[in-house]
Amino acid sequence: MYFPCFRKNANAAMLSNYEVFKLLTDLKEKRKDSGRNKHSVGQQNLNTITYETLKHLSNTPCSRQSPEIVKEFLTTMMPHKLTNRAEKLQLLNHRPQTAVEIQLMVEESEERLSEEQIEELIQTVSDILPGDPEQQNVAPAEAEMDEGGEQS
Amino acid sequence: MFVLVEMVDTVRIPPWNFQSKLNEAISEELNKKLANKVVYNVGLCICLYDITKLEDSYIFPGDGASHTKVHFRYVVFHPFLDEILVGKIKYCSQEGVHVTMDFFDDILIPPESLQQPAKFDEAEQVWLWEYETDEGAHDLYMDQGEEIRFRVADELFVDTSPTGPATAAKETPKKEPPYTLIGTICEPGLGLLSWWNS
């Protein structure tokens, strides 16, 4: 608990999970190279928070994103009537795949978006943001089973 | 989930660090001071983002260290109200479901914010959702380690600065976390991820 330092602007900008993921990954690399005082008592807190935050973020969609993907996502999102920056941010961070998830992140989605628009949104999110490769391998296998029942 | 906070502080660099570049010495000091610490009414500080302005460095009589006023931006964990987050269930108690996000542990979902009707199983120390279907009631257990999606309903900052010796002697110090998030899962789509994955 620290009572500091004068705070100029408490919410200067919101960061996407990807930006923080990249920042911490780069920081880790830089500190690995310098090596000399990584383990000193003072640096222990930075090590801990870096390790744990990366651990959490690596299980989320942001670990598969890049600056190009984020830029493409924001450009494609423009015509979708999502006025709120926070809404786009949540879609980017979570990569929702169902209408129920969209409704959680987009305020009053039932009034603002039709069913087709929600489907479109899910499709855009799915197309631009890379998903979990483990999960994606399941879907094609099921499709094969449906089509060719006799094939072994 | 994360915000950039602009801050100003005076950084003290002891003489034995004078051989390092000023920017590096300052970055190190700032991270030593703030990383993994909660700042009252701001959030959990993660790491330094950048230094925006360095004022002149001064050396004061009696202290060989240099003092520099630094304007900088710090990455802080501070989810906004109503934000959707995903964590793991740490454990359940009478107080509710305790959730962790690896780097941040003090998240609580109180009993009234669980999917209703909810019941606490004393034997297994776990909360469960008595989910009603046409076939009857299904008990959905909220087990340890399960991934859970929740909405931020409230946040609590507690000033844990040390109090004077007068009060400290009498009270048994109750360790309150400096920053707590109160969550809710009382909405379609919230709760264990396994409940909603088709």
Side-chain angles (χ1 to χ4, degrees), chain A residues 29-40:
Chain A
E29 278 309 309
K30 212 161 48 169
R31 284 155 61 69
K32 206 189 289 187
D33 295 337
S34 80
R36 64 187 172 104
N37 64 351
K38 197 165 51 121
H39 298 290
S40 74

PDB file of all heavy atoms in Angstrom, chain A residues 29-40:
ATOM      1  N   GLU A  29      12.305  -9.412 -21.529  1.00  0.00           N
ATOM      2  CA  GLU A  29      13.446  -9.680 -22.413  1.00  0.00           C
ATOM      3  C   GLU A  29      14.613  -8.765 -22.086  1.00  0.00           C
ATOM      4  O   GLU A  29      15.749  -9.202 -21.977  1.00  0.00           O
ATOM      5  CB  GLU A  29      13.049  -9.459 -23.879  1.00  0.00           C
ATOM      6  CG  GLU A  29      12.330 -10.621 -24.521  1.00  0.00           C
ATOM      7  CD  GLU A  29      13.059 -11.930 -24.350  1.00  0.00           C
ATOM      8  OE1 GLU A  29      14.271 -12.001 -24.661  1.00  0.00           O
ATOM      9  OE2 GLU A  29      12.435 -12.899 -23.871  1.00  0.00           O
ATOM     10  N   LYS A  30      14.308  -7.471 -21.915  1.00  0.00           N
ATOM     11  CA  LYS A  30      15.346  -6.487 -21.637  1.00  0.00           C
ATOM     12  C   LYS A  30      16.062  -6.807 -20.327  1.00  0.00           C
ATOM     13  O   LYS A  30      17.269  -6.706 -20.236  1.00  0.00           O
ATOM     14  CB  LYS A  30      14.706  -5.093 -21.548  1.00  0.00           C
ATOM     15  CG  LYS A  30      15.620  -4.003 -22.026  1.00  0.00           C
ATOM     16  CD  LYS A  30      14.905  -2.708 -22.386  1.00  0.00           C
ATOM     17  CE  LYS A  30      13.923  -2.238 -21.334  1.00  0.00           C
ATOM     18  NZ  LYS A  30      13.452  -0.874 -21.605  1.00  0.00           N
ATOM     19  N   ARG A  31      15.283  -7.197 -19.322  1.00  0.00           N
ATOM     20  CA  ARG A  31      15.882  -7.470 -18.028  1.00  0.00           C
ATOM     21  C   ARG A  31      16.665  -8.773 -18.027  1.00  0.00           C
ATOM     22  O   ARG A  31      17.641  -8.939 -17.315  1.00  0.00           O
ATOM     23  CB  ARG A  31      14.803  -7.485 -16.941  1.00  0.00           C
ATOM     24  CG  ARG A  31      14.363  -6.083 -16.580  1.00  0.00           C
ATOM     25  CD  ARG A  31      12.972  -6.081 -16.026  1.00  0.00           C
ATOM     26  NE  ARG A  31      12.837  -6.855 -14.811  1.00  0.00           N
ATOM     27  CZ  ARG A  31      13.372  -6.500 -13.649  1.00  0.00           C
ATOM     28  NH1 ARG A  31      14.027  -5.376 -13.541  1.00  0.00           N
ATOM     29  NH2 ARG A  31      13.212  -7.271 -12.588  1.00  0.00           N
ATOM     30  N   LYS A  32      16.250  -9.698 -18.874  1.00  0.00           N
ATOM     31  CA  LYS A  32      16.964 -10.968 -18.974  1.00  0.00           C
ATOM     32  C   LYS A  32      18.365 -10.698 -19.517  1.00  0.00           C
ATOM     33  O   LYS A  32      19.335 -11.259 -19.062  1.00  0.00           O
ATOM     34  CB  LYS A  32      16.203 -11.902 -19.933  1.00  0.00           C
ATOM     35  CG  LYS A  32      16.439 -13.375 -19.662  1.00  0.00           C
ATOM     36  CD  LYS A  32      15.863 -14.256 -20.751  1.00  0.00           C
ATOM     37  CE  LYS A  32      14.352 -14.276 -20.729  1.00  0.00           C
ATOM     38  NZ  LYS A  32      13.830 -15.280 -21.708  1.00  0.00           N
ATOM     39  N   ASP A  33      18.435  -9.780 -20.524  1.00  0.00           N
ATOM     40  CA  ASP A  33      19.724  -9.480 -21.146  1.00  0.00           C
ATOM     41  C   ASP A  33      20.661  -8.765 -20.192  1.00  0.00           C
ATOM     42  O   ASP A  33      21.843  -9.069 -20.137  1.00  0.00           O
ATOM     43  CB  ASP A  33      19.522  -8.596 -22.392  1.00  0.00           C
ATOM     44  CG  ASP A  33      18.760  -9.331 -23.477  1.00  0.00           C
ATOM     45  OD1 ASP A  33      18.782 -10.576 -23.459  1.00  0.00           O
ATOM     46  OD2 ASP A  33      18.139  -8.671 -24.313  1.00  0.00           O
ATOM     47  N   SER A  34      20.124  -7.796 -19.422  1.00  0.00           N
ATOM     48  CA  SER A  34      21.020  -7.016 -18.566  1.00  0.00           C
ATOM     49  C   SER A  34      21.507  -7.853 -17.399  1.00  0.00           C
ATOM     50  O   SER A  34      22.631  -7.740 -16.963  1.00  0.00           O
ATOM     51  CB  SER A  34      20.330  -5.750 -18.073  1.00  0.00           C
ATOM     52  OG  SER A  34      19.488  -6.061 -16.986  1.00  0.00           O
ATOM     53  N   GLY A  35      20.634  -8.716 -16.876  1.00  0.00           N
ATOM     54  CA  GLY A  35      21.045  -9.707 -15.869  1.00  0.00           C
ATOM     55  C   GLY A  35      21.567  -9.279 -14.528  1.00  0.00           C
ATOM     56  O   GLY A  35      21.323  -9.948 -13.534  1.00  0.00           O
ATOM     57  N   ARG A  36      22.258  -8.159 -14.429  1.00  0.00           N
ATOM     58  CA  ARG A  36      23.020  -7.966 -13.191  1.00  0.00           C
ATOM     59  C   ARG A  36      22.212  -7.830 -11.922  1.00  0.00           C
ATOM     60  O   ARG A  36      22.496  -8.496 -10.947  1.00  0.00           O
ATOM     61  CB  ARG A  36      23.962  -6.767 -13.347  1.00  0.00           C
ATOM     62  CG  ARG A  36      23.233  -5.480 -13.533  1.00  0.00           C
ATOM     63  CD  ARG A  36      24.070  -4.284 -13.865  1.00  0.00           C
ATOM     64  NE  ARG A  36      23.150  -3.214 -14.193  1.00  0.00           N
ATOM     65  CZ  ARG A  36      22.859  -2.200 -13.393  1.00  0.00           C
ATOM     66  NH1 ARG A  36      23.458  -2.086 -12.241  1.00  0.00           N
ATOM     67  NH2 ARG A  36      21.985  -1.292 -13.746  1.00  0.00           N
ATOM     68  N   ASN A  37      21.160  -7.033 -11.912  1.00  0.00           N
ATOM     69  CA  ASN A  37      20.510  -6.885 -10.603  1.00  0.00           C
ATOM     70  C   ASN A  37      19.042  -7.285 -10.632  1.00  0.00           C
ATOM     71  O   ASN A  37      18.226  -6.769  -9.920  1.00  0.00           O
ATOM     72  CB  ASN A  37      20.648  -5.451 -10.115  1.00  0.00           C
ATOM     73  CG  ASN A  37      19.912  -4.486 -11.054  1.00  0.00           C
ATOM     74  OD1 ASN A  37      19.473  -4.905 -12.120  1.00  0.00           O
ATOM     75  ND2 ASN A  37      19.799  -3.250 -10.662  1.00  0.00           N
ATOM     76  N   LYS A  38      18.756  -8.251 -11.476  1.00  0.00           N
ATOM     77  CA  LYS A  38      17.375  -8.700 -11.612  1.00  0.00           C
ATOM     78  C   LYS A  38      16.857  -9.260 -10.295  1.00  0.00           C
ATOM     79  O   LYS A  38      15.695  -9.162  -9.975  1.00  0.00           O
ATOM     80  CB  LYS A  38      17.329  -9.784 -12.697  1.00  0.00           C
ATOM     81  CG  LYS A  38      15.980 -10.081 -13.256  1.00  0.00           C
ATOM     82  CD  LYS A  38      16.087 -10.865 -14.532  1.00  0.00           C
ATOM     83  CE  LYS A  38      16.966 -12.069 -14.404  1.00  0.00           C
ATOM     84  NZ  LYS A  38      16.241 -13.318 -14.726  1.00  0.00           N
ATOM     85  N   HIS A  39      17.762  -9.907  -9.537  1.00  0.00           N
ATOM     86  CA  HIS A  39      17.302 -10.585  -8.345  1.00  0.00           C
ATOM     87  C   HIS A  39      17.480  -9.777  -7.078  1.00  0.00           C
ATOM     88  O   HIS A  39      17.216 -10.256  -5.998  1.00  0.00           O
ATOM     89  CB  HIS A  39      18.041 -11.924  -8.198  1.00  0.00           C
ATOM     90  CG  HIS A  39      17.767 -12.832  -9.352  1.00  0.00           C
ATOM     91  ND1 HIS A  39      16.541 -13.403  -9.543  1.00  0.00           N
ATOM     92  CD2 HIS A  39      18.538 -13.215 -10.382  1.00  0.00           C
ATOM     93  CE1 HIS A  39      16.587 -14.126 -10.649  1.00  0.00           C
ATOM     94  NE2 HIS A  39      17.771 -14.036 -11.177  1.00  0.00           N
ATOM     95  N   SER A  40      17.929  -8.540  -7.208  1.00  0.00           N
ATOM     96  CA  SER A  40      18.125  -7.743  -5.996  1.00  0.00           C
ATOM     97  C   SER A  40      16.766  -7.543  -5.326  1.00  0.00           C
ATOM     98  O   SER A  40      15.741  -7.539  -5.975  1.00  0.00           O
ATOM     99  CB  SER A  40      18.760  -6.404  -6.338  1.00  0.00           C
ATOM    100  OG  SER A  40      17.799  -5.569  -6.936  1.00  0.00           O
TER     101      SER A  40
END
